[in-house]
Amino acid sequence: MSFLIFIAILVVIALWAAGIYNGLVTSRNAYKNAFAQIDVQMQRRFDLIPNLVAVAKQYMAHERETLEAVIAARSAAQSGLSVAKANPGDPAAMAQLAAAQGQLNAGLGRLLAVAEAYPELKANENMMQLTEELTSTENKVAFSRQAFNDAVMAYNNKREVFPNNVFAGIFGFLAATLLEIPIDKQAQVREAPKVQF
């Protein structure tokens, strides 16, 4: 009889441990899936940039340096995304991706600021459409990044609470890192216009 009780206790402990392990795996897979959504939106963004540069190039021939900087930043951002895609949540990969995306954001910001000086370019239907699509994609990237960061936070919380932290250490569930893309300081804060009567 005592042998059966001992076996029942072992089964309960094994099921409890399996539940913790499966919960950690599920949380890790959730943040990896959330990163896959970031990947989709960033790829869309990368696909739009050459078209935007091609349209701008027609009007901004002497702004070659700005256009080349955007293309170089796009390449760096694609490489950062490839590294991060291989291991989402890894601190080094997230830092590289964040830095590359920050450079790309700054380059695109400069391109769009320079484009303001060209009325024909601003009025170009293709440029307006591409700018609108890029803005929409930027919003989707931001939403995807928020979903990823929420999933990372849930995973990190799950792996840090007791007794999950014991199993996380035993089975190698490492902490995941949030994706925080730096904001271009010039575009960060814009004051509201002052109205006087």
Side-chain angles (χ1 to χ4, degrees):
M1 184 73 152
S2 64
F3 180 72
L4 290 177
I5 294 173
F6 178 72
I7 295 295
I9 291 172
L10 284 179
V11 167
V12 168
I13 290 172
L15 290 173
W16 173 71
I20 290 173
Y21 179 83
N22 290 340
L24 289 167
V25 169
T26 301
S27 291
R28 182 177 58 195
N29 289 343
Y31 84 74
K32 286 183 177 184
N33 179 59
F35 188 83
Q37 302 311 310
I38 292 174
D39 177 43
V40 167
Q41 298 308 324
M42 285 186 175
Q43 289 297 336
R44 170 86 176 121
R45 181 182 187 209
F46 296 151
D47 292 344
L48 288 171
I49 291 170
N51 295 333
L52 185 71
V53 169
V55 170
K57 199 180 281 189
Q58 296 171 4
Y59 295 90
M60 301 168 46
H62 64 283
E63 300 288 348
R64 184 178 185 146
E65 185 178 302
T66 301
L67 298 172
E68 288 174 354
V70 170
I71 294 298
R74 175 185 176 261
S75 295
Q78 282 181 308
S79 299
L81 182 59
S82 294
V83 169
K85 201 164 45 170
N87 194 5
D90 176 64
M94 293 296 104
Q96 182 180 348
L97 177 60
Q101 289 298 319
Q103 288 176 343
L104 181 57
N105 289 348
L108 283 171
R110 280 191 302 278
L111 173 64
L112 295 175
V114 169
E116 289 291 319
Y118 295 86
E120 312 86 38
L121 177 59
K122 275 179 38 179
N124 181 291
E125 190 175 317
N126 288 336
M127 184 67 170
M128 289 188 301
Q129 181 182 1
L130 287 167
T131 304
E132 185 177 313
E133 286 183 42
L134 188 62
T135 301
S136 172
T137 302
E138 294 289 343
N139 291 335
K140 290 175 185 174
V141 168
F143 290 132
S144 297
R145 186 170 51 89
Q146 182 62 47
F148 171 76
N149 286 343
D150 289 346
V152 165
M153 186 180 71
Y155 165 77
N156 284 338
N157 287 341
K158 185 170 271 199
R159 69 170 289 284
E160 290 173 8
V161 298
F162 182 80
N164 294 10
N165 60 350
V166 174
F167 289 94
I170 291 170
F171 293 110
F173 287 90
L174 303 175
T177 301
L178 300 173
L179 176 57
E180 298 175 319
I181 298 174
I183 298 172
D184 184 11
K185 299 225 188 285
Q186 294 174 347
Q188 191 173 23
V189 177
R190 294 189 180 150
E191 288 186 32
K194 294 180 182 174
V195 178
Q196 294 181 347
F197 294 100

